Amino acid sequence: HFHTGISKLKQVTGRCHRDVQRSIIAVSADAAPPGVVVAVRALMHFRYLVQSPSIDDRDLTRITATLDEFHANKHAIIAAGVRQGKGGKVIDNWHIPKLEL
């Protein structure tokens, strides 16, 4: 599927996004520290939950719990050095222009 890796993807289809989601946790499970896998899985679960056509109070509770799980584990992403910018330079913060977490 991803012969040049997923970091090179541009203007991808919904099908491609689903393929990435189906693969990323399984592929990274043995390659990344457990906290990184938990944080990435939480973000993917959040993305899945918020796409629901209708969201009730139970869904909001699940969405909040998923975000809490991400925030509890996001330090593992920084600690593992997998948040990188141009040229592979490690980014040691969560300051993302035009995005607030």
Coordinates of all heavy atoms in Angstrom, one line a residue:
H1 N 0.8 -1.2 0.0 CA 0.0 0.0 0.0 C 0.8 1.3 0.0 O 0.7 2.1 -0.8 CB -0.9 0.0 1.2 CG -2.2 -0.6 1.0 ND1 -2.7 -1.0 -0.2 CD2 -3.2 -0.8 1.9 CE1 -3.9 -1.5 0.0 NE2 -4.2 -1.4 1.3
F2 N 1.7 1.4 1.0 CA 2.4 2.7 1.2 C 3.9 2.5 0.9 O 4.7 2.4 1.8 CB 2.2 3.1 2.6 CG 0.8 3.1 3.1 CD1 0.3 2.1 4.0 CD2 -0.1 4.0 2.6 CE1 -1.0 2.1 4.4 CE2 -1.4 4.0 3.0 CZ -1.9 3.0 3.9
H3 N 4.2 2.4 -0.4 CA 5.5 2.1 -0.8 C 6.6 3.1 -0.4 O 7.7 2.8 -0.2 CB 5.6 1.8 -2.3 CG 4.6 0.8 -2.8 ND1 4.8 -0.6 -2.5 CD2 3.5 0.8 -3.5 CE1 3.8 -1.3 -3.0 NE2 3.0 -0.4 -3.6
T4 N 6.2 4.4 -0.3 CA 7.1 5.4 0.1 C 6.9 5.9 1.5 O 7.4 6.9 1.9 CB 7.0 6.6 -0.9 OG1 5.7 7.2 -0.8 CG2 7.4 6.2 -2.3
G5 N 6.1 5.2 2.3 CA 5.8 5.6 3.7 C 4.6 6.5 3.7 O 4.2 7.1 2.7
I6 N 4.0 6.6 4.9 CA 2.8 7.5 5.1 C 3.1 8.9 5.2 O 2.3 9.8 5.0 CB 1.9 7.0 6.2 CG1 2.6 7.1 7.6 CG2 1.4 5.6 5.9 CD1 1.7 6.8 8.7
S7 N 4.4 9.3 5.6 CA 4.7 10.7 5.8 C 4.8 11.4 4.4 O 4.7 12.7 4.4 CB 6.0 10.8 6.5 OG 7.1 10.3 5.8
K8 N 4.8 10.7 3.3 CA 4.9 11.4 2.0 C 3.5 11.5 1.4 O 3.3 12.0 0.3 CB 5.7 10.6 1.1 CG 7.1 10.4 1.5 CD 7.9 11.6 1.4 CE 9.4 11.3 1.8 NZ 10.1 12.5 2.0
L9 N 2.4 11.0 2.1 CA 1.1 11.1 1.5 C 0.6 12.5 1.4 O 0.7 13.3 2.3 CB 0.1 10.3 2.4 CG 0.4 8.8 2.4 CD1 -0.6 8.1 3.4 CD2 0.3 8.1 1.1
K10 N -0.1 12.8 0.3 CA -0.7 14.1 0.1 C -2.0 13.9 -0.6 O -2.2 13.0 -1.4 CB 0.2 15.0 -0.8 CG 1.5 15.4 -0.2 CD 2.3 16.2 -1.2 CE 3.7 16.3 -0.6 NZ 4.5 17.2 -0.6
Q11 N -3.0 14.7 -0.2 CA -4.3 14.6 -0.8 C -4.8 13.2 -0.9 O -5.1 12.7 -2.0 CB -4.4 15.3 -2.2 CG -4.1 16.8 -2.1 CD -4.2 17.5 -3.4 OE1 -3.9 16.9 -4.5 NE2 -4.5 18.7 -3.4
V12 N -4.9 12.5 0.2 CA -5.3 11.1 0.2 C -6.8 11.0 0.3 O -7.5 11.9 0.8 CB -4.6 10.4 1.3 CG1 -3.2 10.3 1.1 CG2 -5.0 10.9 2.7
T13 N -7.3 9.9 -0.2 CA -8.8 9.6 -0.1 C -9.2 9.1 1.2 O -8.3 8.7 2.1 CB -9.1 8.5 -1.2 OG1 -8.4 7.3 -0.8 CG2 -8.7 8.9 -2.6
G14 N -10.4 9.0 1.4 CA -11.0 8.4 2.7 C -10.6 7.0 2.8 O -10.3 6.5 3.9
R15 N -10.5 6.3 1.7 CA -10.1 4.9 1.7 C -8.7 4.7 2.2 O -8.3 3.8 3.0 CB -10.3 4.2 0.4 CG -9.9 2.8 0.3 CD -10.1 2.2 -1.1 NE -9.7 0.8 -1.0 CZ -10.6 -0.2 -0.8 NH1 -11.8 0.0 -0.6 NH2 -10.1 -1.5 -0.8
C16 N -7.8 5.6 1.7 CA -6.4 5.6 2.1 C -6.3 5.9 3.7 O -5.5 5.2 4.3 CB -5.6 6.6 1.3 SG -3.8 6.5 1.6
H17 N -7.1 6.8 4.2 CA -7.1 7.1 5.6 C -7.5 5.9 6.4 O -6.9 5.5 7.4 CB -8.0 8.3 5.9 CG -7.4 9.6 5.8 ND1 -6.5 10.1 6.6 CD2 -7.6 10.5 4.8 CE1 -6.1 11.3 6.2 NE2 -6.8 11.6 5.1
R18 N -8.5 5.2 5.9 CA -9.0 4.0 6.6 C -7.9 2.9 6.6 O -7.6 2.2 7.6 CB -10.2 3.4 6.0 CG -11.5 4.2 6.3 CD -12.7 3.5 5.9 NE -12.8 3.2 4.5 CZ -13.2 4.0 3.5 NH1 -13.6 5.2 3.8 NH2 -13.2 3.6 2.2
D19 N -7.2 2.8 5.4 CA -6.1 1.8 5.3 C -5.0 2.1 6.3 O -4.4 1.2 7.0 CB -5.5 1.7 3.9 CG -6.5 1.1 2.9 OD1 -7.5 0.5 3.4 OD2 -6.3 1.3 1.7
V20 N -4.6 3.4 6.5 CA -3.6 3.8 7.4 C -4.1 3.4 8.8 O -3.3 2.9 9.6 CB -3.3 5.3 7.3 CG1 -2.4 5.8 8.5 CG2 -2.6 5.6 6.0
Q21 N -5.3 3.8 9.2 CA -5.9 3.5 10.5 C -5.9 2.0 10.8 O -5.6 1.6 11.9 CB -7.3 4.0 10.6 CG -7.3 5.5 10.8 CD -8.7 6.0 11.1 OE1 -9.7 5.7 10.4 NE2 -8.9 6.7 12.2
R22 N -6.2 1.2 9.8 CA -6.2 -0.3 10.0 C -4.8 -0.8 10.3 O -4.6 -1.9 10.9 CB -6.8 -1.0 8.8 CG -8.3 -0.8 8.7 CD -8.8 -1.6 7.5 NE -10.2 -1.4 7.4 CZ -10.8 -0.9 6.3 NH1 -10.1 -0.6 5.2 NH2 -12.1 -0.7 6.3
S23 N -3.8 -0.2 9.8 CA -2.4 -0.7 9.8 C -1.5 -0.1 10.9 O -0.7 -0.8 11.4 CB -1.7 -0.4 8.5 OG -2.5 -1.0 7.4
I24 N -1.8 1.1 11.3 CA -0.8 1.9 12.1 C -0.5 1.3 13.4 O 0.6 1.1 13.9 CB -1.1 3.4 12.1 CG1 0.2 4.1 12.6 CG2 -2.2 3.6 13.1 CD1 0.1 5.6 12.2
I25 N -1.5 0.9 14.2 CA -1.3 0.3 15.5 C -0.6 -1.1 15.4 O 0.3 -1.3 16.1 CB -2.6 0.2 16.3 CG1 -3.2 1.6 16.6 CG2 -2.5 -0.6 17.6 CD1 -2.2 2.5 17.4
A26 N -1.1 -1.9 14.5 CA -0.5 -3.2 14.4 C 1.0 -3.1 14.0 O 1.8 -3.9 14.5 CB -1.3 -4.1 13.3
V27 N 1.3 -2.2 13.1 CA 2.7 -2.1 12.6 C 3.6 -1.5 13.7 O 4.7 -1.9 13.8 CB 2.7 -1.2 11.3 CG1 4.1 -0.8 11.0 CG2 2.0 -1.9 10.2
S28 N 3.0 -0.6 14.5 CA 3.9 0.1 15.5 C 3.9 -0.6 16.8 O 4.7 -0.2 17.7 CB 3.4 1.6 15.6 OG 2.1 1.6 16.1
A29 N 3.0 -1.5 17.0 CA 2.9 -2.2 18.4 C 4.2 -2.7 18.9 O 4.5 -2.5 20.1 CB 1.9 -3.3 18.3
D30 N 5.0 -3.3 18.1 CA 6.3 -3.9 18.6 C 7.5 -2.9 18.3 O 8.6 -3.1 18.8 CB 6.6 -5.2 17.9 CG 5.7 -6.3 18.3 OD1 5.2 -6.2 19.5 OD2 5.5 -7.3 17.6
A31 N 7.2 -1.8 17.6 CA 8.3 -0.9 17.2 C 8.4 0.3 18.1 O 9.4 1.0 18.2 CB 8.2 -0.5 15.8
A32 N 7.3 0.7 18.8 CA 7.2 1.9 19.6 C 7.0 1.6 21.0 O 6.4 0.5 21.4 CB 6.1 2.8 19.0
P33 N 7.4 2.5 21.9 CA 7.1 2.3 23.3 C 5.6 2.2 23.6 O 4.8 2.8 22.9 CB 7.7 3.5 24.0 CG 8.7 4.0 23.0 CD 8.2 3.7 21.7
P34 N 5.2 1.4 24.6 CA 3.8 1.3 24.9 C 3.0 2.6 25.0 O 1.9 2.7 24.5 CB 3.7 0.5 26.2 CG 5.0 -0.2 26.2 CD 6.0 0.7 25.5
G35 N 3.6 3.6 25.6 CA 2.9 4.9 25.8 C 2.6 5.6 24.5 O 1.6 6.2 24.3
V36 N 3.5 5.4 23.5 CA 3.3 6.0 22.2 C 2.1 5.3 21.5 O 1.3 6.0 20.9 CB 4.6 5.9 21.3 CG1 4.3 6.3 19.9 CG2 5.7 6.7 21.9
V37 N 2.1 4.0 21.6 CA 1.0 3.2 21.0 C -0.3 3.6 21.6 O -1.3 3.8 20.9 CB 1.3 1.7 21.1 CG1 0.1 0.9 20.5 CG2 2.5 1.3 20.3
V38 N -0.4 3.7 22.9 CA -1.6 4.1 23.6 C -2.0 5.5 23.2 O -3.2 5.7 22.9 CB -1.4 4.1 25.1 CG1 -2.6 4.7 25.9 CG2 -1.2 2.6 25.6
A39 N -1.1 6.5 23.1 CA -1.5 7.8 22.7 C -2.0 7.9 21.3 O -3.0 8.5 21.0 CB -0.3 8.8 22.8
V40 N -1.3 7.2 20.3 CA -1.8 7.2 18.9 C -3.1 6.5 18.8 O -4.0 6.9 18.1 CB -0.7 6.5 18.0 CG1 -1.2 6.3 16.6 CG2 0.6 7.3 18.0
R41 N -3.3 5.4 19.5 CA -4.6 4.7 19.5 C -5.7 5.6 20.0 O -6.8 5.6 19.5 CB -4.5 3.4 20.3 CG -5.8 2.5 20.1 CD -6.2 1.7 21.3 NE -6.4 2.5 22.5 CZ -7.5 3.1 22.8 NH1 -8.5 3.2 22.0 NH2 -7.6 3.8 23.9
A42 N -5.4 6.3 21.1 CA -6.4 7.2 21.6 C -6.8 8.3 20.6 O -8.0 8.6 20.5 CB -5.9 7.9 22.9
L43 N -5.8 8.9 19.9 CA -6.1 9.9 18.9 C -7.0 9.3 17.8 O -7.9 9.9 17.3 CB -4.8 10.5 18.3 CG -4.2 11.6 19.1 CD1 -2.9 12.0 18.5 CD2 -5.1 12.7 19.4
M44 N -6.6 8.1 17.4 CA -7.4 7.4 16.3 C -8.8 7.1 16.7 O -9.8 7.3 16.0 CB -6.7 6.2 15.8 CG -5.4 6.5 15.1 SD -4.4 5.0 14.7 CE -5.5 4.0 13.8
H45 N -9.0 6.7 18.0 CA -10.3 6.4 18.5 C -11.1 7.7 18.6 O -12.3 7.7 18.3 CB -10.2 5.7 19.9 CG -11.4 5.1 20.4 ND1 -11.7 4.9 21.7 CD2 -12.5 4.7 19.7 CE1 -12.9 4.4 21.8 NE2 -13.4 4.3 20.7
F46 N -10.5 8.8 19.1 CA -11.1 10.1 19.1 C -11.6 10.5 17.7 O -12.8 10.9 17.6 CB -10.1 11.2 19.6 CG -10.6 12.6 19.5 CD1 -11.5 13.1 20.4 CD2 -10.2 13.3 18.4 CE1 -12.0 14.4 20.2 CE2 -10.7 14.6 18.2 CZ -11.6 15.2 19.1
R47 N -10.8 10.3 16.7 CA -11.2 10.7 15.3 C -12.4 9.9 14.9 O -13.3 10.4 14.3 CB -10.0 10.4 14.4 CG -10.3 10.8 13.0 CD -9.0 10.7 12.2 NE -9.2 11.1 10.8 CZ -9.4 10.2 9.8 NH1 -9.4 8.9 10.1 NH2 -9.7 10.6 8.6
Y48 N -12.4 8.6 15.3 CA -13.5 7.7 14.9 C -14.8 8.2 15.6 O -15.8 8.3 15.0 CB -13.1 6.3 15.3 CG -14.3 5.3 15.2 CD1 -14.7 4.8 14.0 CD2 -15.0 4.9 16.3 CE1 -15.8 3.9 13.9 CE2 -16.0 4.0 16.3 CZ -16.4 3.5 15.0 OH -17.5 2.7 14.9
L49 N -14.7 8.4 16.9 CA -15.9 8.8 17.7 C -16.5 10.1 17.3 O -17.7 10.2 17.2 CB -15.5 8.9 19.2 CG -15.2 7.6 19.9 CD1 -14.6 7.9 21.3 CD2 -16.4 6.7 20.0
V50 N -15.7 11.1 16.9 CA -16.2 12.4 16.6 C -16.8 12.5 15.2 O -17.5 13.4 14.8 CB -15.2 13.6 16.7 CG1 -14.7 13.7 18.2 CG2 -14.0 13.4 15.8
Q51 N -16.7 11.4 14.4 CA -17.3 11.4 13.1 C -18.7 10.9 13.1 O -19.3 10.8 12.0 CB -16.4 10.5 12.1 CG -15.1 11.1 11.8 CD -14.3 10.3 10.9 OE1 -14.8 9.4 10.1 NE2 -13.0 10.4 10.9
S52 N -19.2 10.5 14.2 CA -20.6 10.0 14.4 C -21.6 11.1 13.9 O -21.4 12.3 14.1 CB -20.9 9.7 15.8 OG -22.2 9.2 15.9
P53 N -22.6 10.6 13.1 CA -23.6 11.6 12.6 C -24.4 12.3 13.7 O -24.9 13.4 13.6 CB -24.5 10.8 11.7 CG -24.2 9.3 12.0 CD -22.8 9.3 12.7
S54 N -24.5 11.6 14.9 CA -25.1 12.2 16.1 C -24.4 11.8 17.3 O -23.9 10.7 17.4 CB -26.6 11.8 16.2 OG -26.7 10.4 16.4
I55 N -24.2 12.8 18.2 CA -23.4 12.5 19.4 C -24.3 12.9 20.6 O -24.8 14.0 20.7 CB -22.2 13.4 19.4 CG1 -21.3 13.0 18.3 CG2 -21.4 13.3 20.8 CD1 -20.0 13.8 18.1
D56 N -24.5 11.9 21.5 CA -25.3 12.1 22.7 C -24.3 12.2 23.9 O -23.1 12.2 23.8 CB -26.3 11.0 22.9 CG -25.7 9.6 23.0 OD1 -24.5 9.5 23.3 OD2 -26.4 8.6 22.8
D57 N -24.9 12.3 25.1 CA -24.1 12.5 26.3 C -23.2 11.3 26.6 O -22.1 11.5 27.1 CB -25.0 12.7 27.5 CG -25.7 14.0 27.5 OD1 -25.2 14.9 26.8 OD2 -26.7 14.2 28.3
R58 N -23.6 10.1 26.3 CA -22.8 8.9 26.4 C -21.6 9.0 25.5 O -20.4 8.7 25.9 CB -23.6 7.6 26.2 CG -22.8 6.4 26.5 CD -23.7 5.2 26.4 NE -22.9 4.2 25.6 CZ -23.3 3.6 24.5 NH1 -24.5 3.8 24.0 NH2 -22.5 2.8 23.9
D59 N -21.8 9.4 24.3 CA -20.7 9.6 23.3 C -19.7 10.7 23.8 O -18.5 10.5 23.7 CB -21.2 10.0 21.9 CG -22.1 8.9 21.3 OD1 -21.8 7.7 21.5 OD2 -23.1 9.2 20.6
L60 N -20.3 11.8 24.3 CA -19.4 12.9 24.8 C -18.5 12.4 26.0 O -17.3 12.7 26.1 CB -20.2 14.0 25.3 CG -20.9 14.9 24.2 CD1 -21.8 16.0 24.8 CD2 -19.8 15.5 23.4
T61 N -19.1 11.5 26.8 CA -18.3 10.9 27.9 C -17.1 10.1 27.3 O -16.0 10.1 27.8 CB -19.2 10.1 28.8 OG1 -20.2 10.9 29.4 CG2 -18.4 9.4 29.9
R62 N -17.4 9.3 26.3 CA -16.4 8.5 25.7 C -15.4 9.3 24.9 O -14.2 9.0 25.0 CB -17.1 7.5 24.7 CG -17.9 6.4 25.4 CD -18.8 5.6 24.5 NE -18.0 4.9 23.5 CZ -18.5 4.4 22.3 NH1 -19.8 4.6 22.1 NH2 -17.8 3.8 21.5
I63 N -15.8 10.4 24.3 CA -14.9 11.3 23.6 C -13.9 11.9 24.6 O -12.7 12.0 24.4 CB -15.6 12.3 22.8 CG1 -16.3 11.7 21.6 CG2 -14.7 13.5 22.4 CD1 -17.3 12.6 20.9
T64 N -14.5 12.4 25.7 CA -13.7 13.0 26.8 C -12.7 12.0 27.4 O -11.5 12.4 27.6 CB -14.6 13.6 27.9 OG1 -15.5 14.6 27.3 CG2 -13.8 14.2 29.0
A65 N -13.1 10.8 27.6 CA -12.2 9.8 28.2 C -11.1 9.5 27.2 O -9.9 9.3 27.6 CB -13.0 8.5 28.5
T66 N -11.4 9.5 25.9 CA -10.4 9.2 24.9 C -9.3 10.3 24.9 O -8.1 10.1 24.8 CB -11.0 9.0 23.5 OG1 -12.0 7.9 23.6 CG2 -10.0 8.7 22.5
L67 N -9.8 11.6 24.9 CA -8.9 12.7 24.9 C -8.0 12.7 26.2 O -6.8 13.0 26.2 CB -9.6 14.0 24.8 CG -10.1 14.4 23.4 CD1 -10.9 15.7 23.5 CD2 -8.9 14.6 22.5
D68 N -8.7 12.4 27.3 CA -7.9 12.2 28.6 C -6.8 11.2 28.5 O -5.7 11.4 29.0 CB -8.9 11.9 29.8 CG -9.8 13.1 30.1 OD1 -9.5 14.2 29.7 OD2 -10.8 12.8 30.9
E69 N -7.1 10.1 27.8 CA -6.2 9.0 27.6 C -5.0 9.5 26.8 O -3.8 9.2 27.1 CB -6.8 7.8 27.0 CG -5.9 6.6 26.8 CD -6.6 5.4 26.2 OE1 -7.6 5.6 25.5 OE2 -6.1 4.3 26.4
F70 N -5.3 10.3 25.7 CA -4.2 10.8 24.9 C -3.4 11.8 25.7 O -2.1 11.7 25.7 CB -4.8 11.6 23.7 CG -3.7 12.5 23.1 CD1 -2.7 11.9 22.3 CD2 -3.7 13.8 23.2 CE1 -1.7 12.7 21.7 CE2 -2.8 14.7 22.7 CZ -1.8 14.1 21.9
H71 N -4.0 12.7 26.5 CA -3.2 13.7 27.2 C -2.4 13.0 28.3 O -1.3 13.5 28.6 CB -4.1 14.7 27.8 CG -4.6 15.7 26.8 ND1 -3.8 16.6 26.2 CD2 -5.9 16.0 26.3 CE1 -4.5 17.3 25.3 NE2 -5.7 17.0 25.4
A72 N -2.9 11.9 28.9 CA -2.1 11.2 29.9 C -0.9 10.5 29.3 O 0.0 10.1 30.0 CB -3.0 10.2 30.6
N73 N -0.9 10.2 28.0 CA 0.2 9.5 27.4 C 1.0 10.3 26.3 O 2.0 9.7 25.8 CB -0.4 8.2 26.7 CG -0.8 7.2 27.7 OD1 0.0 6.5 28.3 ND2 -2.1 7.2 28.0
K74 N 0.6 11.5 26.0 CA 1.3 12.2 25.0 C 2.8 12.5 25.3 O 3.6 12.6 24.4 CB 0.6 13.5 24.6 CG 0.6 14.6 25.7 CD -0.2 15.8 25.3 CE -0.1 16.9 26.4 NZ -0.9 18.0 26.0
H75 N 3.1 12.5 26.6 CA 4.5 12.7 26.9 C 5.4 11.6 26.4 O 6.6 11.8 26.1 CB 4.7 12.7 28.5 CG 4.4 11.4 29.1 ND1 3.1 10.9 29.3 CD2 5.2 10.4 29.5 CE1 3.2 9.7 29.9 NE2 4.4 9.4 30.0
A76 N 4.9 10.4 26.2 CA 5.6 9.3 25.6 C 6.1 9.6 24.2 O 7.1 9.1 23.8 CB 4.8 8.0 25.7
I77 N 5.3 10.3 23.5 CA 5.6 10.7 22.1 C 6.8 11.6 22.1 O 7.7 11.4 21.3 CB 4.4 11.3 21.4 CG1 3.3 10.2 21.2 CG2 4.8 11.9 20.0 CD1 1.9 10.8 20.7
I78 N 6.8 12.6 22.9 CA 7.9 13.5 23.0 C 9.2 12.7 23.5 O 10.3 12.9 23.0 CB 7.6 14.7 24.0 CG1 6.4 15.5 23.5 CG2 8.8 15.6 24.2 CD1 6.6 16.2 22.2
A79 N 9.0 11.9 24.6 CA 10.1 11.2 25.2 C 10.8 10.2 24.2 O 12.0 10.1 24.2 CB 9.7 10.4 26.4
A80 N 10.0 9.7 23.3 CA 10.5 8.7 22.3 C 11.1 9.5 21.1 O 11.8 8.8 20.3 CB 9.4 7.8 21.8
G81 N 10.9 10.8 21.0 CA 11.5 11.5 19.9 C 10.9 11.3 18.6 O 11.5 11.5 17.5
V82 N 9.6 10.9 18.6 CA 9.0 10.6 17.3 C 8.2 11.8 16.8 O 7.7 11.7 15.6 CB 8.0 9.3 17.4 CG1 8.9 8.1 17.7 CG2 7.0 9.5 18.5
R83 N 8.1 12.8 17.5 CA 7.5 14.1 16.9 C 8.6 14.8 16.3 O 9.5 15.4 16.9 CB 6.8 14.9 18.0 CG 6.2 16.2 17.5 CD 5.1 16.7 18.5 NE 4.8 18.1 18.4 CZ 4.6 18.8 17.3 NH1 4.7 18.3 16.2 NH2 4.3 20.1 17.4
Q84 N 8.6 14.8 15.0 CA 9.7 15.4 14.2 C 9.2 16.4 13.2 O 8.1 16.3 12.7 CB 10.5 14.3 13.5 CG 11.1 13.3 14.4 CD 11.9 12.3 13.7 OE1 12.0 12.3 12.5 NE2 12.4 11.3 14.4
G85 N 10.1 17.4 12.9 CA 9.8 18.4 12.0 C 10.6 18.2 10.7 O 11.1 17.1 10.4
K86 N 10.8 19.3 10.0 CA 11.6 19.2 8.7 C 13.0 18.7 9.0 O 13.6 19.0 10.0 CB 11.7 20.6 8.1 CG 10.3 21.0 7.5 CD 10.4 22.3 6.8 CE 9.1 22.7 6.2 NZ 9.1 24.0 5.6
G87 N 13.5 17.9 8.1 CA 14.8 17.3 8.2 C 15.0 16.3 9.4 O 16.1 16.0 9.8
G88 N 13.9 15.8 9.9 CA 14.0 14.8 11.0 C 14.3 15.4 12.3 O 14.6 14.7 13.3
K89 N 14.3 16.8 12.4 CA 14.6 17.4 13.7 C 13.5 17.1 14.7 O 12.3 17.4 14.5 CB 14.7 18.9 13.5 CG 15.1 19.7 14.8 CD 15.2 21.2 14.5 CE 15.5 21.8 15.9 NZ 15.2 23.3 15.8
V90 N 13.9 16.6 15.9 CA 13.0 16.3 16.9 C 12.3 17.5 17.5 O 13.0 18.5 17.8 CB 13.7 15.4 18.1 CG1 12.7 15.2 19.2 CG2 14.1 14.1 17.5
I91 N 11.0 17.5 17.7 CA 10.3 18.6 18.3 C 9.9 18.2 19.7 O 9.3 17.1 19.9 CB 9.0 19.0 17.5 CG1 9.4 19.4 16.0 CG2 8.2 20.0 18.1 CD1 8.3 19.5 15.1
D92 N 10.3 18.9 20.7 CA 10.1 18.5 22.1 C 9.0 19.3 22.8 O 9.0 19.5 24.0 CB 11.4 18.7 22.9 CG 11.9 20.1 23.0 OD1 11.2 21.0 22.4 OD2 12.9 20.4 23.6
N93 N 7.9 19.7 22.0 CA 6.8 20.4 22.6 C 5.5 20.0 21.8 O 5.6 19.4 20.7 CB 7.0 21.9 22.6 CG 7.2 22.4 21.2 OD1 6.3 22.4 20.4 ND2 8.4 23.0 21.0
W94 N 4.4 20.6 22.2 CA 3.1 20.4 21.5 C 2.6 21.7 20.9 O 1.4 21.8 20.7 CB 2.1 19.8 22.4 CG 2.4 18.3 22.7 CD1 3.0 17.7 23.7 CD2 2.1 17.2 21.7 NE1 3.1 16.4 23.6 CE2 2.6 16.1 22.3 CE3 1.6 17.2 20.5 CZ2 2.5 14.8 21.7 CZ3 1.5 16.0 19.8 CH2 2.0 14.8 20.5
H95 N 3.5 22.6 20.7 CA 3.1 23.9 20.0 C 2.9 23.6 18.5 O 3.9 23.5 17.8 CB 4.1 25.0 20.3 CG 4.4 25.2 21.7 ND1 3.6 25.7 22.6 CD2 5.5 24.8 22.5 CE1 4.1 25.8 23.8 NE2 5.3 25.2 23.8
I96 N 1.7 23.6 18.1 CA 1.3 23.3 16.7 C 0.6 24.6 16.2 O -0.4 24.9 16.7 CB 0.4 22.1 16.6 CG1 1.1 20.9 17.2 CG2 0.1 21.9 15.1 CD1 0.2 19.6 17.3
P97 N 1.2 25.2 15.2 CA 0.6 26.4 14.7 C -0.9 26.2 14.2 O -1.2 25.2 13.6 CB 1.4 26.8 13.5 CG 2.7 26.1 13.7 CD 2.4 24.9 14.5
K98 N -1.8 27.0 14.7 CA -3.2 27.0 14.3 C -3.9 25.8 14.8 O -5.0 25.4 14.3 CB -3.3 27.1 12.8 CG -2.8 28.4 12.2 CD -3.1 28.5 10.7 CE -2.5 29.8 10.2 NZ -2.8 29.9 8.8
L99 N -3.3 25.1 15.8 CA -4.0 23.9 16.4 C -3.8 24.0 17.9 O -2.6 24.1 18.3 CB -3.4 22.6 15.8 CG -4.0 21.3 16.4 CD1 -5.5 21.2 16.1 CD2 -3.3 20.1 15.9
E100 N -4.8 23.9 18.7 CA -4.7 23.9 20.1 C -5.1 22.5 20.6 O -6.2 22.1 20.3 CB -5.5 25.0 20.7 CG -5.1 26.4 20.3 CD -5.9 27.5 21.0 OE1 -6.5 27.2 22.0 OE2 -5.9 28.6 20.4
L101 N -4.3 21.9 21.4 CA -4.6 20.6 22.1 C -4.9 20.8 23.5 O -4.2 21.4 24.2 CB -3.5 19.6 21.9 CG -3.3 19.2 20.4 CD1 -2.0 18.3 20.3 CD2 -4.5 18.4 19.9

